[in-house]
Amino acid sequence: MTVDPALPRHDWTLTEVEALFARPFMDLVFEAASVHRRWFDPSEVQTSQLLSIKTGGCAENCGYCSQSAAFDTGLKAEKLMDATSVIAEAMAAKAGGASRFCMGAAWRELKDRDTPKLATMIAGVKALGLETCATLGMLTADQARQLKDAGLDYYNHNLDTGPDYYADVVTTRTYQDRLDTLEHVRSAGMKTCCGGIVGMGESRRDRAGLLHALATLPEHPDSLPVNALVPVSGTPLGDRVKREGEIDPIEFVRTVAVARLVCPKAMVRLSAGREGMSAEMQALCFLAGANSIFVGGRLLTTPNPGEDADAALFAKLDLRPMALGTEANAA
């Protein structure tokens, strides 16, 4: 019996994922593009907008992050925004063409005292007809249920990198902590948004390790962000990348293609780092299976292409925004 390469698998081995990375580039991108077309319209791209609802002062020591209290990046810590302001930002995002609105808070974990205020935000954004997403750090099972009840559709909680490189990125929480939060999110009935960051000085094997970890979860991520590190001065990994150089663009495209192959039904998001990517590099990423982006001129604390730039890119590549609620379907 022949196995359809476009059908989701959960039994990938690390060796198999490494072998995908090692395939001839043209063959790899062609296969990823073919699998992508099995589940999605290749001319459609899902658009999300991300707002930092609580900036800076995070107790984590993630080596890439400008918001960590452990590093001097010149970023001032701010309090949690009020719900009215967040909903107003969501209205503007919808008017600008976003179909999903993501709210991010620089916390190690959600505190119960903040849950009611967040529930008001989520319900208000949901009432606008937008999909809702939040990234608030670690969750308990009860907190996940409360967010689901408030109307939260997606919860973002990245694995960041492969398990073998993880201790070089962050030491204030474990890989298992991240997996536990994802389990709480799935159990509450929410969709998961989970990916990682590449270009942090990791090896190709570490990138394969990240995608292997994602592909062997009990359920594949519904959204899978592939972030290119935006190096921030004052962060250990940002300073390292400024010294040693950013990830090779073709290697980044390889990572997107492998993500599409191992998680064929996921929305693979071309996330942080697009501001520094050429139109040609982004086109290769879309060809290789990326079908989601963040719109708006800012991602939490780092720059992102503006509305005009993305409109021009979509026009040049004959792309259009994906309709709200579009899911992967077999052709």
Side-chain angles (χ1 to χ4, degrees):
M1 179 179 177
T2 303
V3 177
D4 187 337
L7 294 179
R9 289 175 49 191
H10 296 268
D11 62 348
W12 289 94
T13 66
L14 179 58
T15 299
E16 287 178 312
V17 179
E18 287 186 286
L20 291 177
F21 269 95
R23 294 195 63 189
F25 181 75
M26 298 301 182
D27 293 344
L28 173 63
V29 172
F30 178 81
E31 184 174 351
S34 301
V35 167
H36 180 62
R37 282 156 174 72
R38 170 68 183 272
W39 297 106
F40 297 97
D41 183 335
S43 63
E44 292 186 340
V45 176
Q46 189 272 331
T47 53
S48 300
Q49 190 151 336
L50 176 62
L51 174 68
S52 179
I53 61 172
K54 193 280 173 188
T55 302
C58 183
E60 300 280 11
N61 67 351
C62 304
Y64 54 81
C65 187
S66 64
Q67 302 196 68
S68 172
F71 314 128
D72 182 10
T73 63
L75 189 72
K76 182 180 177 182
E78 299 175 1
K79 294 182 179 180
L80 179 64
M81 292 176 64
D82 64 84
T84 301
S85 298
V86 171
I87 294 167
E89 292 278 358
M91 291 176 67
K94 183 178 181 181
S99 61
R100 184 182 304 166
F101 191 71
C102 305
M103 295 157 275
W107 287 327
R108 172 177 163 76
E109 68 274 307
L110 175 59
K111 299 291 195 301
D112 287 336
R113 65 173 181 267
D114 293 312
T115 304
K117 193 170 184 178
L118 288 162
T120 300
M121 292 180 195
I122 292 164
V125 173
K126 185 75 171 175
L128 298 174
L130 289 163
E131 288 182 330
T132 54
C133 179
T135 179
L136 313 166
M138 294 183 287
L139 298 180
T140 65
D142 185 59
Q143 288 170 339
R145 286 190 294 269
Q146 290 181 61
L147 295 176
K148 167 66 174 176
D149 290 344
L152 192 62
D153 298 308
Y154 287 80
Y155 194 78
N156 167 259
H157 201 65
N158 290 334
L159 294 182
D160 281 356
T161 189
D164 291 343
Y165 193 64
Y166 185 78
D168 291 280
V169 175
V170 55
T171 60
T172 49
R173 78 171 85 168
T174 67
Y175 218 68
Q176 189 60 48
D177 288 333
R178 295 181 183 270
L179 295 173
D180 289 346
T181 288
L182 291 170
E183 177 57 34
H184 296 327
V185 170
R186 288 191 298 267
S187 297
M190 285 187 285
K191 296 179 179 180
T192 57
C193 177
C194 183
I197 308 169
V198 298
M200 298 190 293
E202 78 285 347
S203 66
R204 176 182 283 184
R205 181 178 177 85
D206 294 319
R207 291 188 282 277
L210 166 65
L211 295 179
H212 174 254
L214 295 170
T216 54
L217 289 169
E219 297 176 22
H220 289 168
D222 298 281
S223 285
L224 196 167
V226 182
N227 297 276
L229 179 70
V230 178
V232 176
S233 296
T235 62
L237 293 175
D239 290 341
R240 174 178 174 174
V241 167
K242 284 176 179 289
R243 292 193 307 270
E244 300 178 3
E246 299 183 18
I247 187 170
D248 176 76
I250 296 300
E251 183 69 13
F252 185 88
V253 177
R254 281 186 185 275
T255 306
V256 170
V258 176
R260 172 54 65 206
L261 290 173
V262 299
C263 294
K265 295 177 69 175
M267 296 284 188
V268 176
R269 180 179 296 134
L270 188 56
S271 292
R274 282 202 307 119
E275 176 73 5
M277 296 180 188
S278 68
E280 293 82 1
M281 180 179 172
Q282 293 182 71
L284 276 175
C285 288
F286 292 131
L287 181 64
N291 64 336
S292 178
I293 62 169
F294 278 122
V295 294
R298 197 159 189 80
L299 291 184
L300 298 179
T301 65
T302 58
N304 194 54
E307 184 178 336
D308 291 345
D310 281 334
L313 179 67
F314 274 38
K316 183 180 293 187
L317 301 180
D318 300 305
L319 298 173
R320 61 180 181 271
M322 186 180 291
L324 181 65
T326 300
E327 301 291 343
N329 288 297

